[in-house]
Amino acid sequence: MHGNSYNTGAYPYSGPLGIDPVIRSRSINVFGGLVTTLMFDSQGRIMCISGNVVGFRLLLPNADSLETLAETRLPKRASSIEFF
């Protein structure tokens, strides 16, 4: 999620360039928030953790359309419960 202890999100190296890359984006949080972590499972499917003021969800999006195929709510963290 963050590349260093200052949480800048900046990295000292370039990302993958590919050949004629296409960039797609999609809004998936109704009440704001963001996708904090992207990862791939052992079958090559993309997964992400999405968070907003309501909580965090683990999502399985379609790699082409970015439509959510499956999701599960993650348990609230103790720090979130203390905050509210």
Side-chain angles (χ1 to χ4, degrees):
M1 180 173 167
H2 301 291
N4 55 47
S5 61
Y6 296 105
N7 296 331
T8 63
Y11 298 89
Y13 47 85
S14 299
L17 297 177
I19 299 171
D20 298 322
V22 175
I23 298 170
R24 294 187 182 112
S25 66
R26 178 177 181 82
S27 176
I28 59 173
N29 277 319
V30 177
F31 301 108
L34 50 93
V35 171
T36 57
T37 305
L38 292 171
M39 63 216 117
F40 296 88
D41 70 6
S42 61
Q43 296 179 11
R45 295 175 295 198
I46 190 169
M47 297 183 302
C48 59
I49 296 175
S50 169
N52 62 18
V53 296
V54 176
F56 290 90
R57 301 176 296 160
L58 177 63
L59 305 173
L60 175 67
N62 177 293
D64 293 318
S65 68
L66 302 179
E67 292 286 336
T68 300
L69 301 174
E71 73 175 80
T72 186
R73 294 230 175 257
L74 298 174
K76 294 203 182 298
R77 298 179 300 179
S79 59
S80 297
I81 294 169
E82 290 172 8
F83 174 77
F84 290 108

